[in-house]
Amino acid sequence: MANLKEIRNRISSVSSTMQITSAMKMVSAAKLKKAQDAITAMRPYSDKLTELLQTLSATLDADSGSEFAEQREIKNVTLVSITSNRGLAGAFNSNIIKETNRLIREEYAGKEVSVFAIGKKAADAFKKGDRVIANKSDIYDDLTFDNVAEIADLLMDHFLTNKTDMIVLVYNKFKNAATQEVMNEQFLPIVPMEGAEEVDTEYIFEPSKSEIVKELIPKSLKTQLYKALRDSFASEHGARMTAMHKATDNATELRDQLKLTYNKARQAAITNEILEIVGGAEALNN
């Protein structure tokens, strides 16, 4: 009977876990719809603005170019590692941490690499190596453009004051609820579009092209960072919904197996009791 009690306890435990994972799946599904709509609506604007500024920046003379496009010898690199504050999202966070470590070991080996963490998981992963120069985990409490713009201003200031020579965003790009693509995207300096010098834009600029570029580049960089965070936010809920769906299915399968084991054990126990009763009755008759 002790064995049966143990199985009953396990069935109860698995059933409770199944209810929790099912509830988390539904919560993430509800949040995913809003996050997906936000990034889908924003992405065309962000991509077109970035393309326009890359094209214009490439056609500027060196003297009139923006300081954000200054190409320097790369000695110090800042990796903006964008994760979530919570786990239970499959490989969502671990993929970003792995890619950040790969960039440190391979792409920027021999250079001074620091990590600008956005998300508690990134801050926890890199704090041991004293690489974390900032932790902005609280941004997810109120993910608005104005709040993200403050972080972008801080990153731009790091570049302008020569604290870093290159800034790279590492984040999950949202494709669909089940698929996220790990991206490493150069934030600063701005990368001119290839062949942009040959493009005949047929634009009339008022005021001058250089003034427009200098005015719009900070806005473009803020939009780029906001898009990356929105991508990551949608990816997080998609990854968590998928992970909780699989966890619920696994818990359901385990619960069914335990119920089958319990029924077999209970049937065997009843059969043994009947045999003992019959054996005792026969012994009394003899």
Side-chain angles (χ1 to χ4, degrees):
M1 293 302 294
N3 188 37
L4 290 176
K5 183 178 180 180
E6 180 182 343
I7 296 175
R8 281 199 303 269
N9 289 338
R10 288 193 64 192
I11 292 174
S12 177
S13 176
V14 171
S15 297
S16 297
T17 301
M18 186 176 66
Q19 291 177 349
I20 294 171
T21 56
S22 179
M24 292 181 67
K25 171 191 169 184
M26 289 188 288
V27 170
S28 291
K31 291 183 177 180
L32 172 63
K33 181 63 171 66
K34 185 177 179 180
Q36 183 176 352
D37 290 344
I39 187 59
T40 301
M42 179 186 179
R43 192 175 283 162
Y45 168 77
S46 174
D47 292 345
K48 190 62 180 177
L49 180 60
T50 301
E51 177 187 340
L52 175 62
L53 289 176
Q54 285 179 336
T55 302
L56 295 179
S57 297
T59 60
L60 290 175
D61 297 331
D63 295 336
S64 59
S66 169
E67 60 269 30
F68 293 110
E70 180 186 353
Q71 303 293 326
R72 313 171 187 156
E73 180 184 356
I74 306 301
K75 296 180 180 179
N76 299 297
V77 179
T78 299
L79 301 179
V80 183
S81 187
I82 303 175
T83 62
S84 67
N85 289 336
R86 299 184 296 131
L88 298 177
F92 172 81
N93 291 311
S94 62
N95 285 341
I96 296 300
I97 293 169
K98 287 178 182 177
E99 177 64 8
T100 304
N101 279 320
R102 186 192 70 80
L103 291 174
I104 293 172
R105 291 193 311 267
E106 299 177 11
E107 296 289 332
Y108 306 115
K111 305 184 187 304
E112 189 67 29
V113 182
S114 57
V115 175
F116 191 106
I118 300 180
K120 188 174 182 297
K121 294 299 180 180
D124 292 343
F126 297 104
K127 66 181 180 181
K128 292 182 180 179
D130 293 327
R131 291 187 182 274
V132 179
I133 59 172
N135 178 12
K136 297 296 181 180
S137 302
D138 57 346
I139 188 63
Y140 294 113
D141 296 337
D142 188 15
L143 186 57
T144 63
F145 180 82
D146 289 339
N147 290 335
V148 173
E150 294 179 6
I151 299 177
D153 284 333
L154 183 59
L155 291 171
M156 286 186 278
D157 181 68
H158 270 68
F159 182 78
L160 294 179
T161 56
N162 295 317
K163 293 179 181 177
T164 184
D165 302 310
M166 177 182 285
I167 299 177
V168 179
L169 306 180
V170 186
Y171 66 97
N172 280 296
K173 182 178 180 180
F174 178 80
K175 301 189 79 171
N176 55 55
T179 307
Q180 301 84 39
E181 181 183 0
V182 177
M183 303 289 293
N184 61 79
E185 183 178 283
Q186 185 168 318
F187 184 68
L188 284 171
I190 295 173
V191 181
M193 182 176 293
E194 294 184 6
E197 299 85 348
E198 304 172 2
V199 176
D200 183 11
T201 55
E202 297 184 357
Y203 295 144
I204 298 175
F205 298 99
E206 180 64 35
S208 68
K209 184 191 298 185
S210 61
E211 289 182 62
I212 291 175
V213 170
K214 289 179 180 180
E215 180 71 23
L216 287 183
I217 277 181
K219 182 178 180 180
S220 173
L221 291 171
K222 293 173 184 178
T223 302
Q224 183 182 356
L225 180 60
Y226 185 56
K227 180 184 74 71
L229 277 162
R230 275 293 176 189
D231 257 317
S232 181
F233 191 65
S235 297
E236 175 192 351
H237 291 301
R240 182 168 290 113
M241 185 185 75
T242 302
M244 292 301 99
H245 176 72
K246 292 180 180 178
T248 301
D249 288 346
N250 291 338
T252 302
E253 183 180 350
L254 179 57
R255 183 196 60 182
D256 293 342
Q257 291 176 350
L258 288 171
K259 283 185 175 180
L260 181 61
T261 302
Y262 174 81
N263 290 334
K264 287 181 178 179
R266 184 168 176 270
Q267 185 178 18
I270 292 172
T271 302
N272 288 335
E273 289 179 2
I274 292 174
L275 290 175
E276 289 175 0
I277 293 171
V278 171
E282 289 181 356
L284 290 174
N285 291 333
N286 294 334

